[in-house]
Amino acid sequence: MVDTLVYRELQKLVSGRVRIGEPMNKHTSWRIGGPADYFIEPQGRKELQSVVSFANRRKVPLTVIGNGSNLLVSEKGIRGIVLKIGSGLARVSIIEKDVVAEAGAKLSALAAAARDSGLGGLEFSAGIPGTVGGAVVMNAGANGSSVGALVREVLLLNLEGRLFHRTGEALNFRYRSCDLQQEPAIVVEVRFACYPREKQLIQEEMERFVARRLSTQPLRLPNAGSVFKNPPGDSAGRLIEAAGLKGLRVGDAQISSLHANFIVNLGKATASDVLALIDKTRETVLARKGVELLLEVQIIGDV
Ligand SMILES: Cc1cc2nc3c(=O)[nH]c(=O)nc-3n(C[C@H](O)[C@H](O)[C@H](O)COP(=O)(O)OP(=O)(O)OC[C@H]3O[C@@H](n4cnc5c(N)ncnc54)[C@H](O)[C@@H]3O)c2cc1C
């Protein structure tokens, strides 16, 4: 429910527009998701802090998103405020051998900045379509590396609107997870520990990683990357394919025939289509392969 008073107060706190009933399918890589009551893209830390403090004071629910590349948003959408941390908080700088990035910077911009300064370590992230904040929360990774291994320090904002620091170590990074998935705090800035490396070598490795993605992932259709986590010692894609599920379809949601751990949106897929396909996949893989698949994508919004 949209409250006109809340809307007016919010609009006073930010320089951009507070969007009412913003369709979340415009902000998710799956192109799925119903309306957010209030949608805000903060321009800078001050705005971010004042919206977070307001939400806390007025007890308005708050949801933070980055690039929406790991999210399934329900058709009913999201109640309260959705804060999209994007281009308004996306500065990237180099301090000594570290790359320091605000949470809204794209991983691709981060990897490019590191390369341009002759700093290695972030090559693996080329081609992962998320923001720095989303990548830290998810401990995004590929090609044998993940973001958490490089995080020296994170600047966080708690839900009362207070900034504080945490070391990377204190966040307990693990496979596609870290403690920020349990402790709600907003990533504001991240310092990555890199090392000197020849620019040409960095560039070549990034190109190799991106080329491999282009040939193995169904990137022409909306998707959210890997739907399930890889079980220890195995790959979810291999199991789903071996269970005979490639190409299985519910509505306009389909298990990709190129990569079985991807569900693609053929055009008008709904969150319910994707959820039904997820359920069928989990049941079949459990029955035929004896393995319980766990979700990597996160489901948010009213059901
Ligand atoms: C084609 C494709 C390929 C992909 N390949 C990979 C891959 O190789 N490896 C991999 O790990 N992932 C991959 N992904 C998944 C996705 O890109 C990553 O999980 C990415 O890190 C998510 O970042 P995001 O900004 O899109 O976060 P979102 O999807 O917007 O959010 C993810 C989570 O992070 C939280 N969050 C986002 N920003 C902040 C913030 N500033 N502060 C606090 N919480 C925040 C959200 O609340 C949510 O819980 C892929 C996705 C696609 C579509």
Side-chain angles (χ1 to χ4, degrees):
M1 274 290 284
V2 173
D3 176 331
T4 319
L5 256 181
V6 168
Y7 167 67
R8 287 209 194 114
E9 286 181 54
L10 277 171
Q11 190 59 80
K12 282 187 207 145
L13 300 176
V14 297
S15 51
R17 205 156 58 86
V18 177
R19 290 183 242 175
I20 299 292
E22 176 74 357
M24 288 301 294
N25 61 10
K26 287 165 73 177
H27 304 282
T28 58
S29 58
W30 245 326
R31 299 286 168 255
I32 291 174
D37 288 346
Y38 316 92
F39 183 93
I40 297 171
E41 286 191 62
Q43 302 297 309
R45 290 178 198 188
K46 277 252 163 63
E47 287 192 11
L48 173 65
Q49 263 180 293
S50 43
V51 174
V52 170
S53 305
F54 172 86
N56 180 57
R57 215 168 45 242
R58 295 291 303 267
K59 303 207 173 353
V60 183
L62 187 70
T63 303
V64 177
I65 68 163
N67 203 38
S69 61
N70 198 54
L71 297 178
L72 181 62
V73 181
S74 69
E75 300 310 317
K76 289 190 184 154
I78 303 175
R79 304 291 68 81
I81 302 168
V82 171
L83 265 179
K84 176 170 173 155
I85 313 288
S87 57
L89 270 159
R91 240 177 328 162
V92 180
S93 55
I94 308 293
I95 300 179
E96 293 161 5
K97 289 187 206 91
D98 291 350
V99 182
V100 180
E102 286 188 313
K106 295 262 173 72
L107 282 183
S108 51
L110 181 74
R115 175 204 56 209
D116 294 346
S117 302
L119 293 173
L122 288 160
E123 295 83 346
F124 73 91
S125 68
I128 302 180
T131 61
V132 164
V136 167
V137 172
M138 294 307 302
N139 191 16
N143 312 299
S145 309
S146 55
V147 161
L150 296 170
V151 172
R152 192 188 292 286
E153 195 175 60
V154 180
L155 176 64
L156 296 162
L157 185 67
N158 71 12
L159 298 189
E160 283 84 53
R162 190 178 55 81
L163 289 164
F164 64 105
H165 286 92
R166 275 277 163 82
T167 61
E169 209 179 3
L171 292 179
N172 290 313
F173 286 103
R174 46 206 180 270
Y175 175 56
R176 298 296 171 269
S177 183
C178 76
D179 285 0
L180 291 174
Q181 291 187 11
Q182 283 79 48
E183 175 198 341
I186 298 166
V187 179
V188 177
E189 188 176 80
V190 186
R191 185 166 176 150
F192 296 94
C194 296
Y195 59 89
R197 193 179 184 208
E198 209 180 299
K199 287 184 196 177
Q200 185 61 26
L201 291 178
I202 298 175
Q203 177 63 19
E204 281 167 16
E205 190 161 46
M206 283 167 57
E207 281 172 11
R208 245 194 342 270
F209 289 154
V210 171
R212 196 187 309 153
R213 276 175 190 277
L214 288 172
S215 64
T216 57
Q217 298 182 354
L219 301 180
R220 286 212 192 90
L221 289 168
N223 68 78
S226 294
V227 174
F228 299 101
K229 293 182 181 178
N230 288 324
D234 209 336
S235 113
R238 191 200 72 76
L239 286 161
I240 298 165
E241 185 171 352
L245 296 174
K246 263 191 168 176
L248 184 71
R249 189 169 166 179
V250 175
D252 258 356
Q254 186 177 40
I255 295 183
S256 163
S257 44
L258 188 60
H259 190 316
N261 199 16
F262 278 53
I263 290 179
V264 292
N265 177 356
L266 297 174
K268 295 200 169 85
T270 62
S272 316
D273 293 340
V274 174
L275 284 173
L277 195 51
I278 284 173
D279 285 347
K280 278 194 182 188
T281 306
R282 294 182 76 170
E283 281 162 23
T284 313
V285 169
L286 184 60
R288 298 193 185 154
K289 298 283 150 199
V291 178
E292 196 180 344
L293 292 176
L294 300 177
L295 276 183
E296 179 169 325
V297 293
Q298 297 186 334
I299 300 166
I300 58 172
D302 271 14
V303 277

